[in-house]
Amino acid sequence: MTRPSIGVAVIGAGMAGRAHASGYRSAPTLYEAGLPEVRLVAVADLNPAFAADTAQRFGFQRVEADWEAVAAAADIDVVSVVVANPLHREIVEGLLAAGKHVLCEKPMAPTAEDAQAMVAAARASGGEAAVGFTFRRSPAIAAIREQVARGGVGRPLHFNGHYWCDYACDPGGPMSWRYKGGPGSGALSDIGSHLLDLAEFVCGPIQSVRGAVLSTVITERALPVGAAVGHAAAEVSDVTEPVENEDLVTFTATFASGATGTLSASRVAYGLANSLGFELFTASGAATFDLARAGEFGFIDPTAAGTTQGYRQVLVGPAHPYLTKGLPMDFPGVGYGQNDLFAFQARAFLEQVAGLDGLPRVASFEEGLRNVRLLDAVVASAKSGGGDVVIDPPLAGKDRPA
């Protein structure tokens, strides 16, 4: 890319949309010089108050009423799409056709058919198109992946992962798009998509899933009186609608390497607002991660012997991915949080658009399609009473994690 600056917009001003907006604001301050000037141009949302608040908070120049205005704007080059999953395809295809580079939130689409069409649109556009699997940017998770890739702890044997949240625990919480869409579009799609991506990011391709169970605990919810942001509480009416998807999901997986995975995702895990974690056991070592303690990970390998052998707490610092020049105070023991991951991701995508290669590339649309197919496989297993469902292996190239 030869242009002297990159104009950025965010479509969707809810909880995750604000994180994208903040990430773009921080991105130019991170890492090495060479990134073109980043112009924070526009925020679009059907709710003008949400859009105005996000634009004002994070320094964007203006508000747009809809995605079509963003697509038509000559001063916008890069767009994050952070709206309800069923809306992704139409918006992404329209932006790509208008020559924009697109970063789409996960899951990429509600169906594999939609995701495949989005892949085709991205290839036809010739622009950059990526999916926001933000936890790939976790310094701790990336460090664990590096240890596995180097082979010093042997091959993975067992990945035990969970993503447990409590945003749907309250039966009085309002109905939203998150509770619509049919089996697989609930906890599995919303947070299980992250978990499946991380499992493959650390352990390699999943070959099959089995034993899936989808469970709905709260079967109906009241419609909100007005608009709500993210998972926030809101005043509700006396009109209720049925919940169409799952509150929790559990399943097992077999990786191409022969490793076994045990995975669960829940939006009704009382008291756990945002609990992502995993234990990884390998042939000659192990690692653990807990998002509540994001600046560290547990690790054991054969290097220590005798009375000092055992798990050790590794504090993430400049020797690990993303932190050197990724934080204002990039010093050992200085913490980071989930919001920082959006800044790392925004910087990586802007570098892709600018033709730079300082950071690992953001997940491709092909990887987003594979993730949707994994979600479909879990649903197929649940519908068959837990049967084994085989997933086609990833192709070489863009559907493999960077």
Side-chain angles (χ1 to χ4, degrees):
M1 178 174 178
T2 59
R3 72 183 70 210
S5 66
I6 303 174
V8 173
V10 176
I11 298 175
M15 179 176 65
R18 294 195 301 265
H20 278 252
S22 176
Y24 285 121
R25 181 178 184 177
S26 298
T29 71
L30 308 181
Y31 307 118
E32 302 297 337
L35 188 70
E37 176 194 359
V38 176
R39 293 176 288 103
L40 307 178
V41 179
V43 176
D45 196 283
L46 291 178
N47 186 310
F50 290 175
D53 177 69
T54 299
Q56 189 277 327
R57 285 181 62 184
F58 301 108
F60 283 70
Q61 297 169 10
R62 65 176 185 265
V63 167
E64 298 287 7
D66 51 42
W67 71 264
E68 289 93 345
V70 172
D75 57 348
I76 294 173
D77 308 297
V78 168
V79 185
S80 275
V81 176
V82 199
V83 296
N85 305 336
L87 303 177
H88 285 181
R89 177 178 174 179
E90 178 187 11
I91 295 174
V92 167
E93 288 182 341
L95 292 169
L96 290 169
K100 311 303 184 187
H101 306 280
V102 177
L103 174 56
C104 181
E105 254 304 325
K106 60 82 225 160
M108 182 175 165
T111 68
E113 179 183 5
D114 284 344
Q116 184 65 67
M118 292 162 69
V119 168
R123 290 174 176 171
S125 77
E128 294 292 335
V131 181
F133 292 115
T134 320
F135 290 109
R136 292 190 183 192
R137 304 291 155 177
S138 160
I141 293 171
I144 292 170
R145 183 185 188 235
E146 285 184 352
Q147 292 297 319
V148 173
R150 289 171 183 165
V153 292
R155 72 177 184 87
L157 302 179
H158 180 200
F159 179 93
N160 179 51
H162 68 267
Y163 203 158
W164 298 333
C165 300
D166 65 358
Y167 63 82
C169 278
D170 181 6
M175 175 60 73
S176 78
W177 64 266
R178 282 187 167 85
Y179 304 108
K180 298 291 187 179
S185 64
L188 175 61
S189 178
D190 193 19
I191 51 181
S193 54
H194 271 309
L195 185 61
L196 276 164
D197 183 70
L198 277 189
E200 291 205 313
F201 185 65
V202 173
C203 297
I206 291 173
Q207 183 173 279
S208 65
V209 297
R210 73 184 65 81
V213 176
L214 304 173
S215 178
T216 304
V217 177
I218 298 169
T219 58
E220 64 178 19
R221 291 185 178 273
L223 295 176
V225 172
V229 179
H231 305 311
E235 183 182 358
V236 297
S237 69
D238 57 1
V239 178
T240 62
E241 290 184 350
V243 172
E244 298 175 355
N245 52 33
E246 71 286 347
D247 289 320
L248 62 94
V249 55
T250 64
F251 58 98
T252 63
T254 299
F255 294 85
S257 67
T260 296
T262 49
L263 303 100
S264 65
S266 174
R267 62 191 185 192
V268 288
Y270 191 90
L272 296 175
N274 191 36
S275 179
L276 171 69
F278 62 83
E279 296 80 37
L280 171 67
F281 303 96
T282 67
S284 55
T288 64
F289 174 77
D290 179 356
L291 184 60
R293 304 177 69 93
E296 64 184 62
F297 61 95
F299 189 75
I300 182 173
D301 64 7
T303 56
T307 58
T308 61
Q309 173 68 323
Y311 275 94
R312 53 191 178 272
Q313 177 196 42
V314 181
L315 297 179
V316 175
H320 298 105
Y322 297 109
L323 287 189
T324 298
K325 295 191 176 181
L327 295 179
M329 188 182 293
D330 50 358
F331 191 77
V334 175
Y336 68 91
Q338 187 173 343
N339 283 301
D340 292 304
L341 309 187
F342 284 91
F344 302 160
Q345 175 179 267
R347 173 67 188 222
F349 189 60
L350 291 169
E351 288 192 2
Q352 284 180 221
V353 172
L356 306 176
D357 58 0
L359 294 174
R361 293 176 65 85
V362 184
S364 67
F365 268 23
E366 287 83 357
E367 290 173 82
L369 170 60
R370 175 169 174 79
N371 184 260
V372 172
R373 286 174 172 161
L374 287 169
L375 299 174
D376 286 349
V378 175
V379 174
S381 174
K383 288 182 175 180
S384 69
D388 188 74
V389 179
V390 176
I391 298 105
D392 290 337
L395 303 174
K398 284 190 173 183
D399 59 350
R400 292 182 180 276

